[in-house]
Amino acid sequence: MHARLALVFLLFVALAAAQPLPAPAPADVGCNGVFLTYAPEAHQRIRPFVDPAAAAAGRQPYSFRASATVLNNGVRTLPSWALLVAFAHGEILVSLDGAVLTFGDDLPYNTTAAGGGATSLSGNPQTDLLTPIATAGDLTRIQATVKLVGTLFAGPEPVVTLPSAISLADPAYSCLPVATAPSVLSACCVLIAPDQPSAVPPAAGNTYLPRVTGDLVITYDVLQAHETTYLALVTLENNAAMGRLDGWELSWEWRRGEFVNSMRGAYPREVDTRGCLYGPQGQYYKDLDFSKVLNCERRPVVHDLPPSRRDDKSLGQIEHCCRNGTILPKTMDEAQSRSAFQMEVYKMPPDLNRTARPHAPANFRISGASPLNQAYACGQPALVSPTEFPDPSGLVSTTLAVSTWQAVCNMTVDDSKPSKPPQCCVSFSAFYNESVIPCSTCACGCPASTPAAPTTTCSTTAPALLLPPHALLMPFEWRAKETLKWYHDEELGAPPNPTPCGDSCGVSVNWHVATDAAGGWSARVTLFNWEEGADMRDWFATVVMDDKVYGGFEQAYSFNATAVGDGAIFMRGREGFELLLRESNVSGVDYPVPGKQQSVLSFTKKNGPGDVDVVGGDGFPTKVFFNGEECAMPQMIPSQGVGIRASRGVLVLLLFLLFF
Ligand SMILES: *[C@@H]1O[C@H](CO)[C@@H](O)[C@H](O)[C@H]1NC(C)=O
Ligand SMILES: *[C@@H]1O[C@H](CO)[C@@H](O)[C@H](O)[C@H]1NC(C)=O
Ligand SMILES: *[C@@H]1O[C@H](CO)[C@@H](O)[C@H](O)[C@H]1NC(C)=O
Ligand SMILES: *[C@@H]1O[C@H](CO)[C@@H](O)[C@H](O)[C@H]1NC(C)=O
Ligand SMILES: *[C@@H]1O[C@H](CO)[C@@H](O)[C@H](O)[C@H]1NC(C)=O
Ligand SMILES: *[C@@H]1O[C@H](CO)[C@@H](O)[C@H](O)[C@H]1NC(C)=O
Ligand SMILES: *[C@@H]1O[C@H](CO)[C@@H](O)[C@H](O)[C@H]1NC(C)=O
């Protein structure tokens, strides 16, 4: 038994010690820049075998192996290199060695799903390529090799599995294909402006990328490094004026067999160490008590701690931690715009060397628990200049992090990825028109249709109907009857049958043009929360107005509102009114009522009454955002009929708001 274990261990050590041999240098083609190659190595027809017609149409799957190299032959270090490969055969990448997908997607990865653009591969673990001059031409430090395995679709043999182009994802370089061996794709990338100084200052022995900005920046600071472990501080910082996360969830991928021994300021979703116990980690760290290890997943998922753990001696006591995962924009509260946690990480061979820099994990992913939170896509972490921490004892000195990486996560707006439907909707009304114009049918999704309850009761395609104002306070199911009655009473014509479905939005915003006089005008904004689940703390909303009226914005009466430029008015609850309550049952009303908040906004007509045509449309916002999420807008604005009648319906809405 012992002998067998020892053998396994020896085998393991032998495997771990076997460093990958550097690929031989490709044939010299006279490239004095960054030389790229892509060489297919093998391919094989795999099942299912398709019929000849489908094969002729290029639908026969083949497995393939290929290797790509990035060789820095230039005079500048290439930090955080990324290779763009324009795959041309519907390739599905199944495994990657020496690189990760730049935007952290999972494998297997469909290279055509991302909208037909080139696939970006980032170096990992070799993220930076030094210059031949700085390394005496040491190939292990100037060249990176990526091994690709995947599936592609092609016709019958002979099959050519080359991509259509390769290039470098660095805007400082321009790449041109060069002819090398017949079945190899090569390109030479040269600096576009070699005379301009590099954006990357060559620090002593190190090259750092400039610190980055983006909607949300993840900073990975190694605070202490030891032979087998290191201590990392992970900081999430929100830079977006309208970004918000509630109950954030962060995950990443360990690429070097690491595992988390302990954590402060956050906790993993799963405490499961079986992966280590029976894996190479358990073999290597024989004396470690794995029952005390926190998490051994290759892709850990962590959450912020609740505020009650802030001062917990073993779990808390990390600055910016323990706020239940709420991250607000800096305009709301600078102190709540970041979250942080610390963790102790165990490394695995061959990285057990204090002089060797630890490797940051790859493929960060961040998301919020609320449907109102934006979706983010994160780039790969890049080495940046080390963070300076003030001396804890109060001396006027700073301590540098051992190493610092930053990954940028940007909100994904109408990206190639399918965007999720809006979560909030805007309705328009005005003092000169009795009806409310709701946002479109199914603006935030259609009611779920199940075999048990098919959606035959409403139409998912009919345009939205005008509403009586009091119907704004009712759940969708209750509106149909009121709407039919309204169409009858107001002689608005025959509504379609079945009537259109509701908007299914969790939050709605009513914009009501309340007054229009020679010197100024006003609008009343009402927020409705239809979510049953939770009250919304620290809500914020932004309305974007036309330039003509924006300059005349005076003030909001019950909201804390500021004009923040570009036509945007940022609004939040005043102190004591930060809470937008959930939908609830109220005695005396036979349907659940939404949580509400309301304020009047006043505007002057600076350049004379003729300049602003409130009724003609200037009085309505062009865009509305709630908690950073863009809301669906109505398809039209209220029009002024012949002869203005006093708006009875709007009075009803006011009364409702007063009473409930
Ligand atoms: C890959 O994505 C494309 C485009 O979305 C799709 O047409 C194709 O079926 C996908 N391939 C596989 C194998 O899923
Ligand atoms: C923290 O979040 C949980 C789940 O979302 C919620 O139940 C709890 O009330 C929140 N606590 C605070 C203090 O906000
Ligand atoms: C640690 O790294 C140094 C320099 O890279 C190397 O000389 C040494 O052999 C390494 N030690 C181990 C145990 O791998
Ligand atoms: C994120 O957005 C910033 C500008 O807002 C841009 O400079 C950066 O390249 C973007 N990063 C990614 C990973 O998309
Ligand atoms: C209004 O918001 C600003 C910051 O956005 C804050 O400093 C101020 O205290 C708020 N005022 C009230 C009355 O809530
Ligand atoms: C409101 O009342 C209905 C039925 O009377 C019940 O099904 C529902 O759960 C209640 N909702 C809340 C939020 O209390
Ligand atoms: C109110 O506005 C809507 C949309 O512009 C219009 O269809 C309707 O006729 C207007 N009602 C009156 C009474 O003017």
Side-chain angles (χ1 to χ4, degrees), residues 90-92 110-115 153:
E91 277 88 343
I92 311 286
N110 183 345
T111 58
T112 46
F153 298 86

Side-chain angles (χ1 to χ4, degrees), residues 389-445:
F389 294 97
D391 187 278
S393 62
L395 292 177
V396 194
S397 73
T398 52
T399 312
L400 288 185
V402 177
S403 303
T404 300
W405 287 265
Q406 288 192 322
V408 182
C409 305
N410 284 346
M411 293 179 205
T412 49
V413 237
D414 54 350
D415 210 6
S416 47
K417 294 192 176 146
S419 57
K420 57 177 186 149
Q423 302 294 320
C424 77
C425 116
V426 177
S427 62
F428 285 161
S429 54
F431 67 90
Y432 51 80
N433 188 315
E434 304 243 308
S435 302
V436 175
I437 301 174
C439 67
S440 314
T441 307
C442 295
C444 303

Side-chain angles (χ1 to χ4, degrees), residues 313-368:
K313 283 209 165 52
S314 59
L315 292 177
Q317 297 190 327
I318 299 290
E319 210 181 340
H320 303 299
C321 88
C322 314
R323 290 184 298 98
N324 225 10
T326 302
I327 297 189
L328 298 178
K330 293 200 166 115
T331 42
M332 280 288 283
D333 188 348
E334 181 97 38
Q336 292 198 58
S337 69
R338 58 171 67 199
S339 271
F341 64 94
Q342 244 183 38
M343 59 183 173
E344 190 196 16
V345 179
Y346 268 77
K347 297 182 289 184
M348 283 291 287
D351 296 343
L352 305 179
N353 196 333
R354 206 195 300 224
T355 57
R357 184 185 278 151
H359 296 280
N363 299 340
F364 279 103
R365 241 173 246 175
I366 180 114
S367 61

Side-chain angles (χ1 to χ4, degrees), residues 581-634:
L581 294 177
R582 70 189 87 179
E583 184 185 83
S584 58
N585 290 333
V586 174
S587 66
V589 185
D590 41 10
Y591 47 83
V593 297
K596 294 176 293 286
Q597 291 232 1
Q598 190 179 72
S599 177
V600 170
L601 271 57
S602 67
F603 296 81
T604 57
K605 292 184 181 173
K606 275 200 197 149
N607 305 325
D611 200 38
V612 177
D613 184 3
V614 172
V615 175
D618 293 347
F620 295 92
T622 51
K623 279 182 181 170
V624 175
F625 298 82
F626 182 81
N627 275 358
E629 181 86 18
E630 186 164 355
C631 302
M633 301 295 280

